[in-house]
Amino acid sequence: MTKRIVAYSRLKPPHLDQLRQRFHVDYFEALEGADDPAFREALGQAHGIVGSSLLITPELLDAAPHLEAIATISVGYDNYPVDELTRRGILLCNTPDVLTETTADTGFLLVMAAARRAVELAEYVKRGDWRESIGEAQFGSDVHGKTLGMIGLGRIGAAVARRGALGFGMQVLYSNASPKPELERELGANRCELDELLAQSDFVCVTVPLTPETTHLIGRREFGLMKRSAIFVNIARGKVVDEAALIGALENGEIHAAGLDVFEQEPLSPESPLPHMANVVALPHIGSATHETRDAMAQRAVDNILLALDGRRPISLVNETAWQPAG
Ligand code: 8YV
């Protein structure tokens, strides 16, 4: 029997071809939402799902009684009910590693852009306001030699910290569930409590995954602990931060600036003041968005689903306990 796949993120012809060689593929190039009747019907027969950015609910899983595996084209899996998938024996595969360096580049882009006011000053040039040598009013802050506080030191956090320590001579502080002795040796990083990190850091960069424990991890109290000169960078998930508190901290000068790739609501609401604030660099969730990396992520998702539906262990499996090797 030819197994059936539902794919709903933009996939390039080579990736779709690979899937079509093995499966019947129902492809939704621009899926508007999970309520699409054709999508629901396809789910009813699907053994596998390949996609990203759609909230998968237990109710949606009820509509997919034959589902064996999901391959998300993302490293983050906060859109998936992991325990529920495991309970149903459905494998969830993600795409770590292939996006680590690109996402860390985005983190450092935000560190640099916010510190040196690159976007604001590029706009100043574009408007034709550059009529004489710039003065103190346009000066930024140094990055090199400063203290970088990493909230989360997983793969992406470590790659940002490496850029800071080895590329910019920064002192690295980190808060993380477990200690990272190898990174401490490699980068001279020091683990500390979150409150201490917030109080000591010139740059605070968030890279923790979104979980119930990390939701609104950074709020009013935490912004209040940061230096008034602090630059806050978020490349994790918007909901890790209480965005209203962030806006307040930026408006009241409790922190100096922010570089944001992620927001509580994406796409960002037109009403949000954030992109209009001079001390904010706001990007449209581009963490992994390069040609090379998005291709590698799509390929990883394709490889994962091919293996999973073949009864073989996928390369990157989120819910290990759902895995039952054949025989
Ligand atoms: C995704 C991301 O590509 O991998 C993640 O977790 O946040 C991005 O790299 C994004 O979710 C769109 O697919």
Side-chain angles (χ1 to χ4, degrees):
M1 180 197 62
T2 305
K3 289 191 173 176
R4 301 180 71 102
I5 297 271
V6 169
Y8 55 78
S9 288
R10 262 175 228 125
L11 287 168
K12 288 190 177 166
H15 298 128
L16 273 175
D17 288 349
Q18 271 181 282
L19 291 174
R20 286 186 175 129
Q21 274 168 25
R22 290 280 304 283
F23 310 118
H24 175 97
V25 180
D26 288 305
Y27 180 45
F28 298 85
E29 192 174 358
L31 185 67
E32 300 239 317
D35 292 338
D36 181 322
F39 176 67
R40 288 273 172 167
E41 196 183 324
L43 274 187
Q45 303 180 67
H47 302 96
I49 291 179
V50 177
S52 72
S53 307
L54 183 71
L55 185 67
I56 303 289
T57 60
E59 183 264 327
L60 203 65
L61 295 178
D62 289 342
H66 308 294
L67 198 61
E68 296 171 25
I70 301 178
T72 181
I73 312 174
S74 64
V75 66
Y77 46 85
D78 42 287
N79 270 346
Y80 301 87
V82 180
D83 291 343
E84 186 59 31
L85 288 167
T86 305
R87 203 180 61 73
R88 296 179 190 222
I90 299 169
L91 303 180
L92 176 63
C93 319
N94 66 341
T95 65
D97 305 319
V98 293
L99 49 53
T100 300
E101 299 301 327
T102 298
T103 309
D105 285 349
T106 305
F108 233 83
L109 162 71
L110 287 169
V111 165
M112 294 296 291
R116 300 302 301 272
R117 303 168 55 181
V119 174
E120 178 195 349
L121 294 177
E123 288 294 328
Y124 164 89
V125 175
K126 205 181 272 179
R127 280 197 308 270
D129 286 348
W130 187 27
R131 293 188 214 95
E132 55 189 51
S133 294
I134 62 143
E136 280 203 24
Q138 283 84 28
F139 289 178
S141 318
D142 275 344
V143 173
H144 66 270
K146 296 284 184 73
T147 297
L148 173 63
M150 296 301 309
I151 304 180
L153 205 67
R155 298 179 192 84
I156 294 171
V160 174
R162 202 168 277 120
R163 281 157 177 72
L166 307 182
F168 290 79
M170 300 176 91
Q171 287 87 50
V172 175
L173 297 176
Y174 74 99
S175 69
N176 195 63
S178 55
K180 300 281 179 173
E182 279 178 25
L183 288 167
E184 290 183 12
R185 275 193 296 278
E186 180 193 349
L187 308 177
N190 289 303
R191 183 166 178 237
C192 63
E193 294 300 324
L194 179 61
D195 285 5
E196 191 190 336
L197 178 149
L198 296 172
Q200 303 288 332
S201 299
D202 299 302
F203 294 84
V204 174
C205 180
V206 183
T207 62
V208 285
L210 178 65
T211 64
E213 293 74 41
T214 64
T215 301
H216 282 195
L217 177 69
I218 306 299
R220 231 171 114 181
R221 191 188 79 86
E222 288 70 27
F223 287 115
L225 291 173
M226 293 183 202
K227 296 182 181 180
R228 291 181 85 81
S229 57
I231 292 180
F232 178 74
V233 169
N234 189 2
I235 55 168
R237 286 291 183 264
K239 291 191 176 78
V240 174
V241 177
D242 176 345
E243 208 163 275
L246 169 63
I247 292 166
L250 287 161
E251 280 173 348
N252 304 332
E254 279 175 72
I255 64 169
H256 179 59
L260 309 169
D261 188 41
V262 289
F263 302 88
E264 286 206 60
Q265 185 194 320
E266 294 179 10
L268 194 54
S269 153
E271 274 92 59
S272 172
L274 285 168
H276 308 291
M277 299 171 89
N279 54 348
V280 171
V281 177
L283 296 176
H285 198 148
I286 64 161
S288 64
T290 65
H291 293 292
E292 299 89 335
T293 294
R294 284 292 170 86
D295 276 356
M297 290 165 71
Q299 187 60 56
R300 172 63 64 87
V302 167
D303 292 342
N304 277 334
I305 205 77
L306 284 167
L307 288 165
L309 293 191
D310 209 21
R312 290 185 288 157
R313 198 184 186 293
I315 303 165
S316 14
L317 185 56
V318 172
N319 53 351
E320 292 283 343
T321 50
W323 168 244
Q324 289 179 338

